[in-house]
Amino acid sequence: MTVNNKRVFYVKYLAHNIYAEILKARPDVRLDRLENESPDEVAAPILEAAHAYQIGAARDELARHFHVDRDLLRRTPNLLIVSSNGAGFDPVDVEACTAAGVLVVNQSGGNANSVAEHALGMLLTLSKRIIESDRVLRRQRDVNRNALIGNEAQGKTIGIIGLGNVGRRIAELCRGLLHMKVIAYDPYLTPEEMAKRGGEKVELDELLRRADYVSISCPLTKESRGMIGGREFGLMQPHAFFITTARGFIHDEDALEDALRNKRIAGAGLDVWAKEPPPPEHPLLQFDNVLASPHTAGVTREARENMGRIAAEQILDALDGKRPPRIINPEVWPAYTRRFERAFGFAPE
């Protein structure tokens, strides 16, 4: 076999160094690294030769000209696979990839436990008003603890939007640890499948009206973009909390600010933003009942290593002709297999 005849590249960073270690153990695979600032004379030959692009999942960390769109696809004529570092794939135009016969995969499930723990931590911190208490103690003397009465989460209702890998783990934690009632909205799952995953299937409006906590765990798609706006915040109960560890743009930040300012909901836990990281002067960061983090729900040592390993294993399996388990655009498979066979001389399984 020709050495380095399978070409993979990435820009700026990988989820974990284990990815590079696994690929470098294969003499038939060459892994190239580019930087956001790499000049065209360096980047162009790598892009032209590439069969796979291991892309970062955070859109604002990646230079715009390295996002996968029609322009980049024109510069990567041999590209077969785009693999996201994470579960999300914001910098990837999936429709453009499908039209070009390029397979898109992610690492869904690799950081599910880390993200679910983060959501649960936000839920408990907001319920017990821990972050508010901390801030008051740092600013005032003789704090009146009776002004900071919180609530137990035990026995309350959590509404989970998106019952995939993360949502399922949140449901498991909330049911098992806190004996909470779990209702869920996921148009892609049957009531029977949702019951197996620990949630009662309801429509979105019913979930918003009933839940004491609303947790967003779905991917950002055309259907979910802008899904939670002023109307939806208006359906929530005044004592309810809004928590999102999913993606920015699923909820409307201006509408959330309005709901908090007018006390239509009790508070929010926000790990994702329209602009990441948000500037310190962001309006939502001015509320004491907002718990904020800079898209770190899935950023744990354990999750990063797990994501790096499954990403490497999946890309190697794909380059060896196996069907990847985490395909975003399965409809591209016939076109992809034809392009794969032209590139490597054999058809994938």
Side-chain angles (χ1 to χ4, degrees):
M1 180 177 287
T2 304
V3 174
N4 296 152
N5 71 330
K6 298 173 181 176
R7 302 286 296 271
V8 182
F9 81 97
Y10 68 99
V11 178
K12 189 176 177 180
Y13 73 96
L14 294 165
H16 192 274
N17 284 338
I18 196 169
Y19 182 95
E21 293 169 9
I22 291 172
L23 263 64
K24 287 177 180 178
R26 286 280 299 263
D28 59 325
V29 176
R30 171 173 164 172
L31 179 64
D32 290 300
R33 171 176 174 166
L34 292 172
E35 303 295 340
N36 277 332
E37 304 81 14
S38 291
D40 190 58
E41 58 266 26
V42 172
I46 291 173
L47 295 177
E48 186 174 358
H51 299 112
Y53 179 7
Q54 187 65 46
I55 190 171
R59 61 185 178 273
D60 292 324
E61 293 180 0
L62 189 66
R64 187 66 187 82
H65 58 276
F66 284 125
H67 286 212
V68 179
D69 54 17
R70 287 179 175 82
D71 178 62
L72 184 129
L73 291 167
R74 282 193 292 269
R75 292 182 284 144
T76 52
N78 295 298
L79 191 66
L80 295 169
I81 307 161
V82 174
S83 171
S84 169
N85 280 348
F89 41 92
D90 293 11
V92 181
D93 183 335
V94 177
E95 289 185 358
C97 286
T98 301
V102 174
L103 198 68
V104 181
V105 299
N106 68 355
Q107 317 313 320
S108 178
N111 64 357
N113 191 67
S114 292
V115 178
E117 286 184 0
H118 198 94
L120 181 63
M122 284 185 153
L123 185 155
L124 292 172
T125 300
L126 291 165
S127 291
K128 298 300 297 296
R129 302 181 70 179
I130 295 171
I131 193 70
E132 290 182 73
S133 298
D134 177 88
R135 289 167 178 167
V136 169
L137 277 175
R138 294 170 188 272
R139 292 195 302 242
Q140 299 178 18
R141 296 183 183 277
D142 302 320
V143 171
N144 177 10
R145 64 177 184 167
N146 293 315
L148 294 163
I149 294 175
N151 293 283
E152 292 184 356
Q154 180 170 291
K156 300 294 195 307
T157 297
I158 182 167
I160 303 174
I161 298 175
L163 209 59
N165 291 297
V166 172
R168 175 172 19 187
R169 182 59 177 149
I170 293 173
E172 183 180 20
L173 291 172
C174 288
R175 285 165 59 95
L177 293 175
L178 299 170
H179 306 291
M180 297 178 73
K181 180 175 181 57
V182 179
I183 59 176
Y185 170 71
D186 194 320
Y188 304 104
L189 298 174
T190 65
E192 293 74 22
E193 181 59 32
M194 291 179 78
K196 290 178 184 177
R197 299 184 182 199
E200 173 195 345
K201 184 178 177 73
V202 297
E203 292 303 314
L204 180 59
D205 285 6
E206 181 181 352
L207 180 148
L208 295 167
R209 291 189 180 102
R210 288 174 54 185
D212 301 298
Y213 309 89
V214 172
S215 179
I216 309 293
S217 301
C218 62
L220 176 63
T221 64
K222 284 185 175 180
E223 291 74 26
S224 65
R225 183 179 289 268
M227 178 170 57
I228 307 297
R231 174 187 171 278
E232 287 72 28
F233 287 121
L235 294 176
M236 291 175 61
Q237 302 181 74
H239 68 267
F241 293 97
F242 176 77
I243 298 167
T244 179
T245 53
R247 280 294 187 273
F249 298 109
I250 292 175
H251 70 280
D252 183 316
E253 291 182 350
D254 291 337
L256 176 57
E257 179 192 357
D258 184 69
L260 290 164
R261 194 170 305 284
N262 290 289
K263 302 188 187 307
R264 288 199 291 272
I265 63 173
L270 307 174
D271 183 55
V272 293
W273 307 81
K275 171 66 178 174
E276 295 183 345
E281 63 273 14
H282 193 292
L284 289 169
L285 294 177
Q286 313 314 310
F287 292 91
D288 280 348
N289 58 341
V290 168
L291 176 60
S293 53
H295 206 155
T296 53
V299 183
T300 61
R301 291 178 176 85
E302 296 85 355
R304 280 290 175 87
E305 182 173 353
N306 193 38
M307 299 288 262
R309 179 182 291 106
I310 66 174
E313 291 171 350
Q314 179 166 238
I315 206 74
L316 288 178
D317 281 348
L319 291 173
D320 287 342
K322 298 176 183 176
R323 185 183 176 99
R326 303 176 183 86
I327 300 175
I328 302 302
N329 56 342
E331 66 276 17
V332 81
W333 188 255
Y336 164 78
T337 57
R338 290 191 293 271
R339 297 185 67 242
F340 186 98
E341 187 170 11
R342 286 198 297 269
F344 297 122
F346 67 97
E349 299 172 2

